[in-house]
Amino acid sequence: MNRFSKSLLYSLALTGLLINCSPKVTPASSSLRATERFRYVASRQPLISVHRGGGDLRGFPENCIESFDYVTGQIERPNAPAVIECDIDLTKDSVLVMMHDATLDRTTTGTGKLIERTYAEVQQFKLEDNAGNPTAFRVPTLEETLNWGRKRGAMFTLDVKRNVSFANVIQQVRRTKTENNVAIITYTAKDAALVHQLAPDLMVSVTIRNEAEYDRLHELGIPDNRMFAFVGTRTPESSLYPFLHAKGIATILGTLGNLDKQAAAKGDALYKEWTTAGADMLSTDRPLEVVRALNQ
C-alpha cells in the first residue's frame, strides 16, 4: 500500500471515530446576535479563535470543514463558542472557497495558482495537513462553510483575500443567514470603513494597537458597537485593554507565532495570564493547549 492510500485510510478512520465521539452541544450563546457575541462583556469567559481553522493536528488540514468540526468539539464550552478564523479566496470561475495561499501547492495535492483553476478542477485535488499528509478532504466553498457554522453554532472571523471583494463575501453571509455568526476581518481603517458602509449591521474586526488607531476608525464613522479589536501579535500596553473595554469593545490577541512559541517554551499558563490582563479572545495555532490552560 502506497503512502497516499495509507494516509487516506487513516483520515477516513479518524474522521469516523471523531464524528461518533466529538460532542455536538451547541453553546447557549449561539442564539445571540453577532453584535452581542463579539462585544465586550466583563463576566464572559475568554474565547479561543482557531487560526486558519486548525491544521496543526495530524490528519486535519487548515481551512477545512472537517477540521472546523473536530476542533470546535474540542474547545467549545458553555457560553463560550468556538471561533474559526478562516480565509476566503477565489477560483477562476469566481467560486468563493476556503484557501489561505494564492497557490495550491502547500495545502493540496494540486499545484499552480488558485485563480487559474476552476472550482471543478480544484475539487479533483485532496487537502493535505500541515505535515504534508494527503487526506480524504477537499477544498470547501464559503457557502458550505457558513452553512455548517450556522447549524453548529460556531463563530467566524473571515479573512478576505486580495482577489475577493468584501461585497461578494457579505452577499454570501446574507444568503446563508449567518449575520449572527461572523465578523469580517479588515487590516486597514479604509477597508473597515468600506465594510461598515456595505453592511452597517455586521461586526468588523479592526486593528487597534493604540488609541490613535481607534481615533482614526472613529473619525471614519465606525461605531464602537460594530468594532472588534485585534490588538496585535504581541502584548499591548496595559492601558489599551481598559480603554477599549470602557467603550464596550472586545479584544483579540494574536498569540499565533511568537506568543504561542513563548507558551510552548515557558508554560501554557501564559495563556491564562494574557486573558487575565484583558484579552477577550486568543487567536492561536495551539487551540487544544489553550483550552486546557483556560480550564485550569
Side-chain angles (χ1 to χ4, degrees):
M1 185 179 293
N2 61 31
R3 175 173 171 269
F4 178 82
S5 298
K6 289 180 178 179
S7 296
L8 177 61
L9 289 174
Y10 172 84
S11 296
L12 289 170
L14 184 59
T15 303
L17 176 64
L18 292 170
I19 288 173
N20 290 326
C21 296
S22 296
K24 296 294 181 182
V25 178
T26 300
S29 61
S30 65
S31 61
L32 297 176
R33 295 179 61 83
T35 49
E36 299 168 302
R37 300 171 85 187
F38 284 102
R39 291 286 288 159
Y40 171 67
V41 177
S43 60
R44 184 174 295 164
Q45 294 185 70
L47 300 180
I48 302 169
S49 171
V50 187
H51 184 226
R52 300 185 190 173
D56 279 350
L57 299 174
R58 183 180 176 186
F60 289 100
E62 62 184 52
N63 286 304
C64 171
I65 291 176
E66 289 81 3
S67 302
F68 302 163
D69 194 57
Y70 170 69
V71 77
T72 295
Q74 301 303 305
I75 70 171
E76 65 185 354
R77 295 155 290 155
N79 298 313
V83 180
I84 303 296
E85 187 274 345
C86 50
D87 307 280
I88 306 164
D89 213 328
L90 194 67
T91 64
K92 183 179 181 179
D93 50 346
S94 300
V95 178
L96 297 177
V97 296
M98 311 313 297
M99 177 76 63
H100 177 272
D101 296 3
T103 62
L104 298 164
D105 302 61
R106 182 179 66 87
T107 59
T108 79
T109 55
T111 59
K113 294 181 179 180
L114 174 66
I115 195 64
E116 295 177 354
R117 298 277 194 171
T118 66
Y119 173 68
E121 290 173 326
V122 171
Q123 288 301 288
Q124 296 176 18
F125 308 127
K126 302 295 179 61
L127 286 166
E128 297 178 346
D129 65 19
N130 283 357
N133 300 306
T135 69
F137 314 133
R138 291 180 170 82
V139 176
T141 65
L142 173 61
E143 184 175 9
E144 290 169 338
T145 298
L146 292 176
N147 281 328
W148 168 84
R150 186 188 67 252
K151 296 172 185 176
R152 190 70 169 83
M155 296 164 63
F156 296 101
T157 54
L158 301 177
D159 193 339
V160 182
K161 296 304 179 185
R162 188 173 301 175
N163 288 325
V164 181
S165 76
F166 289 116
N168 286 345
V169 171
I170 291 167
Q171 184 181 51
Q172 286 280 13
V173 170
R174 303 288 193 213
R175 182 178 301 158
T176 56
K177 303 184 186 304
T178 49
E179 293 93 339
N180 292 341
N181 299 76
V182 307
I184 307 294
I185 295 174
T186 60
Y187 294 99
T188 67
K190 181 180 178 181
D191 280 347
L194 172 61
V195 171
H196 181 64
Q197 180 182 15
L198 291 169
D201 58 317
L202 294 187
M203 291 298 291
V204 186
S205 174
V206 297
T207 298
I208 304 179
R209 294 163 294 188
N210 51 59
E211 293 186 21
E213 289 184 331
Y214 165 81
D215 290 340
R216 174 60 176 155
L217 292 159
H218 185 68
E219 289 167 1
L220 288 171
I222 306 172
D224 293 345
N225 65 0
R226 292 297 182 269
M227 292 189 201
F228 176 50
F230 180 75
V231 298
T233 55
R234 60 183 66 186
T235 53
E237 292 291 332
S238 59
S239 60
L240 184 61
Y241 288 128
F243 171 80
L244 293 171
H245 288 164
K247 301 177 183 303
I249 299 174
T251 62
I252 176 168
L253 174 65
T255 65
L256 50 101
N258 288 335
L259 294 182
D260 273 348
K261 291 177 182 177
Q262 282 186 36
K266 299 179 180 179
D268 293 338
L270 283 174
Y271 293 119
K272 192 83 168 184
E273 292 183 19
W274 293 324
T275 57
T276 300
D280 303 299
M281 185 186 299
L282 301 178
S283 179
T284 180
D285 287 316
R286 305 179 72 231
L288 304 188
E289 290 81 1
V290 173
V291 74
R292 284 195 291 267
L294 296 185
N295 283 342
Q296 289 179 355

